[in-house]
Amino acid sequence: MSNLSLQLEAGQVLGLLGVNGAGKSTTLAMIAGALTPDSGVIRIQGNDFLEHPELARSAIGWLPEGAPLWPELTVREHLLAHGRLRGLKGANLNQACDAIIQKLELNDLQRRLAGVLSQGQRQRLGLACALLHRPALLVLDEPANALDPVQVVALRNLLRELAANGTAVILSTHQLTEVTAVCDRVAILHEGRLRHDAPLHADQHEVLEKTFFDIAMAGRAQAA
Amino acid sequence: MTLFAVTRLELRRLFVRPFGWVIAALALAELGWRFALLLQFFLLSQVQLASIPDGPGYTDIVLIPLLSSFALPFALIELALLIVPLLTMSSLASERAAGTLPLLFASGLSATRILVGKYLAVLVWLALWLVLALAIPVSLAHGATLDWGKLAAATLGTFLALAVLAAIGLACSAFAQHAAVAAVAALIISLTLYCINLGAQRAGVDNGFINWLAMSTHQDNLMHGVVSSADIAWFLLAIAVALALGIRRLASDRERG
């Protein structure tokens, strides 16, 4: 990734598209604070969080691709550990855990070890960890992977609800239908450059598909 | 403090894994057997020992050799040379393999806090293990005369040695991609650091620097009840160097991805 420039408003849902190797996951990891960029600025709510990494703790929730988990911890222990790492404690932490467990329907899984969860359950737990501290910016890398159709619809509804409450969401996915279903803006990344950044309406699936393939095929033709 | 959130998370991971308990239980069983042998020797030689003015007592014959001695394998510190690398091998290497390390970075924690947080968790586990091991000989304190000063110095020496081994283990885990590689590297480095002077002496070299470099030199003083600031400084220096290397490696992980 080399020259991306993005600005996101509160309540916006941005779909980040790109072929494999375009730099989507790297971009999201940088925004989430997991990776330090060589140069550039990342501001959240006006603050440069490369200078104040602790800001990432409370302002950003991140679900990395594949939802990595500690296999020896139970679902609830995971949520408690994430909450503590994000600065929650005491009664606030327990309330936040109970609320997110209810919201993502994890009640029956609370005592189950993360290591034995199905991929869909892992995704839900990863999403719960990302949402636990009510971040202002939610960064999701392929969140619909391994979810069944019912869970996909539930995820879409959840993202719409979060956006309506003022949470900004960046959603990276390979599935164009996911983008047209929930995003109100789409950005297409190719070889580290932002090739397209525009508002999106629900009926623009075919236009988006054509734009995406034009950019991807032009890139391949150039490479050839 | 988020440093303690990492410590708590790591402690939880250490305590729920059966591996840690199994090796601790096996080690304590071996130490129990060793204690029985040492106690038998002490009881058999009590009459002879009583005739020696200022001769060795229960602390010298039973307690100290339980913690560290090459005369009868394996004392606690010799077991620790194997156990600590096994305990620390997955601290960072398996986090890297499972992809959970970026989750810690994303929570705004510096490499220093992550490593020190994990180090504190390992120290708590090792301190518990040391307390359980010491409980075996100290349980006879009502029937024997304990030299509490010497016991305190030996306990300090053993704990500092465990702390150095833990720092080396964590540093190796920070560098390695695989937990098994981290364990082997930590075992080799720890063994070398522990007895580098013995090999040199066998080869006819009795060098002051090599003796200073060896952990056993500094630990032996403490095991004999001699608490010297120079020895304690050596342990702290070794811990600081190992942790600094681990922190440097972890910080480069965040930069390189």
Side-chain angles (χ1 to χ4, degrees):
Chain A
M1 216 276 288
S2 68
N3 218 353
L4 177 87
S5 187
L6 268 179
Q7 191 170 338
L8 196 62
E9 303 295 331
Q12 268 192 336
V13 183
L14 171 76
L16 188 62
L17 291 173
V19 294
N20 286 335
K24 301 187 298 295
S25 292
T26 306
T27 304
L28 298 192
M30 284 184 196
I31 293 170
L35 202 57
T36 309
D38 295 329
S39 61
V41 178
I42 301 173
R43 286 183 197 281
I44 180 150
Q45 295 169 328
N47 299 301
D48 182 346
F49 98 70
L50 295 179
E51 283 179 15
H52 306 282
E54 68 281 0
L55 288 174
R57 220 171 69 161
S58 55
I60 299 177
W62 179 41
L63 170 65
E65 188 175 5
L69 302 169
W70 291 286
E72 56 279 83
L73 300 190
T74 65
V75 167
R76 190 171 180 90
E77 283 169 350
H78 249 95
L79 292 168
L80 290 170
H82 270 270
R84 287 189 198 105
L85 287 170
R86 301 281 175 173
L88 297 177
K89 53 180 103 166
N92 285 344
L93 176 58
N94 280 317
Q95 281 170 5
C97 282
D98 292 339
I100 205 69
I101 282 169
Q102 286 289 334
K103 199 172 192 89
L104 291 180
E105 298 171 1
L106 292 166
N107 300 51
D108 297 339
L109 303 175
Q110 277 194 72
R111 291 173 186 275
R112 197 170 293 179
L113 289 175
V116 299
L117 296 179
S118 70
Q119 189 55 39
Q121 290 167 336
R122 290 173 64 94
Q123 287 288 119
R124 274 159 63 205
L125 175 56
L127 188 61
C129 292
L131 284 170
L132 183 72
H133 56 294
R134 298 170 181 266
L137 171 63
L138 186 61
V139 179
L140 305 175
D141 200 350
E142 304 286 354
N145 270 4
L147 294 184
D148 64 41
V150 176
Q151 289 168 342
V152 169
V153 172
L155 174 68
R156 288 174 186 171
N157 291 336
L158 177 66
L159 294 182
R160 286 191 197 107
E161 183 192 323
L162 288 167
N165 291 330
T167 305
V169 181
I170 303 180
L171 172 71
S172 164
T173 178
H174 285 110
Q175 298 170 21
L176 299 184
T177 47
E178 275 317 297
V179 174
T180 46
V182 289
C183 299
D184 45 32
R185 193 176 138 199
V186 65
I188 301 176
L189 194 63
H190 193 78
E191 292 173 350
R193 289 179 181 277
L194 205 56
R195 299 294 175 93
H196 176 87
D197 183 3
L200 180 71
H201 301 290
D203 57 352
Q204 287 184 321
H205 182 82
E206 285 178 13
V207 178
L208 175 63
E209 199 171 59
K210 184 178 181 316
T211 311
F212 179 76
F213 279 103
D214 284 349
I215 290 170
M217 297 318 285
R220 283 196 184 174
Q222 257 182 355
Chain B
M1 257 179 102
T2 42
L3 171 82
F4 295 121
V6 177
T7 304
R8 203 164 166 174
L9 170 63
E10 188 65 14
L11 264 179
R12 186 73 198 148
R13 291 181 64 216
L14 280 173
F15 280 107
V16 296
R17 266 183 276 177
F19 181 70
W21 290 109
V22 170
I23 55 173
L26 288 174
L28 285 172
E30 195 277 338
L31 288 172
W33 172 74
R34 183 184 173 86
F35 170 70
L37 289 179
L38 290 166
L39 186 64
Q40 186 187 26
F41 173 74
F42 175 69
L43 293 173
L44 289 175
S45 52
Q46 235 179 347
V47 178
Q48 287 169 303
L49 293 172
S51 63
I52 306 170
D54 291 328
Y58 178 75
T59 308
D60 303 284
I61 303 277
V62 179
L63 215 149
I64 306 294
L66 192 71
L67 297 176
S68 174
S69 164
F70 273 111
L72 175 69
F74 297 96
L76 185 141
I77 204 67
E78 291 143 32
L79 289 173
L81 287 168
L82 181 65
I83 286 173
V84 177
L86 292 174
L87 192 70
T88 54
M89 65 180 183
S90 57
S91 287
L92 287 155
S94 71
E95 291 249 27
R96 189 178 287 118
T100 46
L101 199 51
L103 295 177
L104 295 177
F105 289 142
S107 56
L109 290 164
S110 65
T112 305
R113 281 177 176 236
I114 293 172
L115 200 91
V116 172
K118 284 178 174 280
Y119 181 62
L120 289 178
V122 176
L123 283 189
V124 169
W125 195 97
L126 290 173
L128 274 175
W129 185 50
L130 179 60
V131 167
L132 288 173
L134 281 171
I136 303 170
V138 172
S139 63
L140 292 186
H142 65 281
T145 309
L146 270 178
D147 183 340
W148 290 102
K150 199 176 263 188
L151 171 62
T155 305
L156 176 67
T158 307
F159 184 70
L160 286 171
L162 291 176
V164 170
L165 298 180
I168 291 170
L170 270 180
C172 289
S173 188
F175 275 90
Q177 293 292 331
H178 302 286
V181 176
V184 172
L187 177 66
I188 292 169
I189 294 170
S190 302
L191 267 174
T192 308
L193 190 65
Y194 191 72
C195 51
I196 188 170
N197 57 340
L198 295 181
Q201 280 163 12
R202 294 230 169 146
V205 181
D206 198 2
N207 185 307
F209 176 70
I210 290 179
N211 282 334
W212 177 85
L213 199 60
M215 181 157 69
S216 55
T217 307
H218 306 279
Q219 201 206 349
D220 278 352
N221 291 339
L222 286 157
M223 299 315 278
H224 289 107
V226 182
V227 180
S228 142
S229 54
D231 292 324
I232 292 174
W234 183 92
F235 282 107
L236 297 179
L237 185 66
I239 292 167
V241 168
L243 290 184
L245 288 171
I247 288 166
R248 184 72 206 94
R249 177 65 177 85
L250 211 52
S252 73
D253 257 2
R254 191 181 219 154
E255 287 158 16
R256 293 183 310 186

